Amino acid sequence: GLIFKDWPLVIKTGETTRYIVDVLAAVVAETEEIARHAVKLIKVTYEIYKPVTDPQEAIKPRALQVHPDRENLLETCRVYRGGNADEIITASDFTAKGTYQTQRIEHAFLETEGAVALPDNDGVHLYSNGQGIYVDRGQVASLLNLPEEKVRVTLVSTGGGFGGKEDMTVQGHAALFAFLLQKPVKVVLSRDESIRMHPKRHPVYMDIEIGCTKDGMLTGLKLYAVGDSGAYASVGTKVMERVAGHASGAYHFPCVNLEALTVYTNNIPSGAMRGFGANQVAFALEGCIDELCKQGGFDRWQFRFDNALCEGKMTATGQVLHKGVGVRETLMAIKPYYDNARFKGLACGIKNSGVGNGMADYSDVIIEIKSENHVVLHHGWTEMGQGVHTVATQVLCEETGISPSVVEVIVDSFAGIPTGMTTSSRATALLGNAILDASKQIREDLKNNSLQHLSGKTYKGNYTCNWTTKPGADVKEIITHFAYGYATQLVVLNENGKIETVYAAHDAGKIMNPVMFEGQIEGAVHMGLGYALSEDLPMVDGQLVSTKMRDLKILRAKDIPEIVVLGVEVKDPVGPYGAKGLGEIGLVPTAAAVANALCDFDGKRRYSLPLK
C-alpha cells in the first residue's frame, strides 16, 4: 500500500477476499503457456458473501465492513472557512445547486504492467515499469523482509501510466518468486488482467451549492462529496483531498464549507488518474456556474473573468496566491473564439503541482562526466511518455552548453537518490530545479576547463520544497501547494449539436518544449472528451460488466474533433524558468466544458458522466 498498508500480496487460506483480483495462488513455469495451463488446474473453494458496493450504503451504521480491522469510512477531509456557507448562500441573490455523479474509468495505457526480477547476491534486482522505482523498492524490501539496499530497482521506460502504475501490481510477485526460487522471473499482465487488477479513476458523488450577488460576484460554496475508493486505500484519501482542495476551481469564493469522504467498498480500488479529483469537482462546479449565469443574465465568459483567481485571491483551502496566476490570461486567449461561436461551453481549471499539504516535495540529481562524449544524468522520476528525460536534458544543456547528443539519462535505484512517486505534475519543476543547482558548479568548472578535462567528476544537485502546510494547520499563512497550473477550455458545437472544435488555453508558465506541450494538451483533451462522452467501467455486485478494451468506449482517432492548443506563459516563481506542471491540467476542464456546451445547445443540464 502506498499510504495505508492494507493490500496483501497474496490472500491467506481462510482469509476473506475484498475484490475480484485478490491473488490467491501463483504458478511459476518455464513458459507462459505452461503457467497459464497450470493456473486453470488450481481448484478454489469459496464461501460466497454479499459484497458492499455502494459507498453511500457502506458508511451507514451496521454496514458490512470491507476490512475487519477498520471502518469503511477511511477518511473525511473538511475545509471550513469564511463563515457558514448555508447562511451566506441563502442570503445570496442567485443560487445554483445540483447532485452530480462521475463514473469509474480505466487508464488504458498502451503497455500493460510488467516486471522482471532476478536474484542478486542475497537480494533481488527488479526491472519495473511502475511510476516510482524508490517507492517500489521500499515496498518490495518490506515484503521480502530485506533492508532496502538489498533491493535494486531499474526503470524500464514506461508505455503510459496516467497514475495507473503508481500502485504495485506485478512487481511484488515477480520479486518474491525470484527471491524464493533464485531464478529470473517475468510477470506480465494480459489486457484483461490489467483492466481487472489496477486502480481506476474515482467515481465521485457530489452534492454542491453555490451563490452569487446581483452584480455577478461569487459568495459561497458548499460541497458534500463521497468517493468510492474500492477495496484498498491506494491514494484515495489524497484524491478526495484534491476534490475538496479544488472545489472552488479557478475562482475566488469568500466562503467555502467542504466535506469529502473516502470510502471502502468491495469494488476495484480507485486511485491516481490524471487530474486526481480536480476533474470530477470541476464538472459539478462549472455546471453550477453556468446555472448562475442563466439566472442572473450574466455573460458566461465575463462572469468567469470577474471571479477568476488572481494575485491576492485564495483557493478553496484558503491559500492566498501571490504570483504566476494565469487564469485570466487563458480566458483572454479564448475570448475571440468564444465571441464567434454560437453553441458553446466554457470551463476553467486549476491543478496543483506537487504533493504539498505539509509533505516535502524534493528531487536529487547526479551528473557524471564519463568523458567528453558521454555524460550520464541520474534522477528518480519515471519516463512514461510525458518527456521528463527530454526536459531534463534540455535544462542541463541550456545551463552548461553540453551537447544533448552526449547525454544519457538513467533511472536506477543504484544511484541512491530516493524520489517519490512520479505524480502531482511535479517532476519538471522539482527535477529542473535540481539540475539548475548541479549545473552551477559544472558551469563554473567549464569556464577554465573543457569537458574532457572534467572526465571522472561527479556533480550533485538538490531541490526541496518543505514550506507547504497541512490541511487544518493553525498557521500564519496557508500554503497548500508550491504551484498551480491554470486553464480555460471552450467546446464549440455545430448546428447538429456535435463537437466541432475544442480550444484549449493553458498557462504552462514557460513552454519549455512546444511539441511536447501541444502533445500533452491534445492527448489530455482526447482523454477528457472520452471521460465526458462515452467512457465507463461499470460494475455489478462487485463484478466488472466487461473486461474488453473495446467496451471501454475510448474515442477513436476518427471521432476526435479539431483541437486548437493555445499556449499561455505566466511565469511561476518556483519552477525552472517559470515552468509549471502540465501533465494533469489538460483534461481538468474538458468534461465540464462539454456538458456546458450541450446544455447551451438543448437547454438540458446533465448531472452524470458519461453525458447522455
Side-chain angles (χ1 to χ4, degrees), residues 20 52 165 219 296 340 441 446 475 490 505 533 545 572 576:
I20 54 173
V52 181
K165 291 176 181 169
T219 55
N340 291 327
Q441 190 57 52
L446 283 172
V475 291
L490 172 71
L533 295 169
V545 173
D572 183 77

Side-chain angles (χ1 to χ4, degrees), residues 303-364:
F303 186 94
R304 286 172 168 83
F305 187 87
D306 292 343
N307 287 281
L309 290 169
C310 54
E311 291 183 23
K313 301 298 184 181
M314 67 175 64
T315 67
T317 61
Q319 178 175 352
V320 177
L321 301 171
H322 297 300
K323 291 183 179 179
V325 189
V327 187
R328 286 183 168 173
E329 285 78 0
T330 63
L331 277 160
M332 290 298 296
I334 287 287
K335 184 71 158 63
Y337 308 100
Y338 173 86
D339 289 340
N340 291 327
R342 183 181 176 189
F343 300 115
K344 56 205 174 188
L346 196 63
C348 296
I350 180 175
K351 182 64 182 73
N352 63 287
S353 283
V355 174
N357 287 285
M359 297 176 66
D361 283 292
Y362 59 90
S363 180
D364 292 281

Side-chain angles (χ1 to χ4, degrees), residues 424-456:
S424 299
S425 303
R426 61 183 180 157
T428 292
L430 300 177
L431 175 58
N433 281 341
I435 295 171
L436 290 178
D437 183 45
S439 296
K440 292 176 187 175
Q441 190 57 52
I442 299 175
R443 197 165 56 243
E444 189 66 29
D445 288 353
L446 283 172
K447 286 181 179 179
N448 301 309
N449 299 281
S450 67
L451 194 60
Q452 181 180 4
H453 286 103
L454 301 184
S455 295

Side-chain angles (χ1 to χ4, degrees), residues 201 273-276 278-279 282 347-352 425 485-491 502-508 516-529 531 563-566 580-594:
R201 186 185 296 286
M273 188 171 181
R274 199 177 194 178
F276 208 83
N279 320 48
C348 296
I350 180 175
K351 182 64 182 73
N352 63 287
S425 303
Y486 306 95
T488 301
Q489 291 185 3
L490 172 71
V491 171
V502 178
Y503 297 92
H506 285 260
D507 171 22
M516 291 202 311
F517 170 76
E518 289 192 15
Q520 278 280 32
I521 300 304
E522 288 174 354
V525 170
H526 166 263
M527 189 177 279
L529 289 173
Y531 184 48
I563 300 170
V564 178
V565 180
L566 305 168
K580 301 172 184 175
L582 191 66
E584 296 173 272
I585 185 69
L587 73 159
V588 168
T590 312
V594 173

Side-chain angles (χ1 to χ4, degrees), residues 130-131 155 157-163 382-388 422-423:
Q131 282 184 232
L155 174 72
S157 290
T158 304
F162 312 116
T382 296
E383 174 57 69
M384 50 187 165
Q386 84 282 34
V388 68
T422 304
T423 187

Side-chain angles (χ1 to χ4, degrees), residues 559-580:
D559 301 321
I560 300 301
E562 181 184 9
I563 300 170
V564 178
V565 180
L566 305 168
V568 173
E569 295 181 314
V570 179
K571 288 191 174 184
D572 183 77
V574 173
Y577 315 113
K580 301 172 184 175

Side-chain angles (χ1 to χ4, degrees), residues 16 39 112 172 223 230 312 384 425 442 450 523 539 547:
T16 302
V39 163
T112 61
L223 174 73
M384 50 187 165
S425 303
I442 299 175
S450 67
M539 301 188 76
T547 61

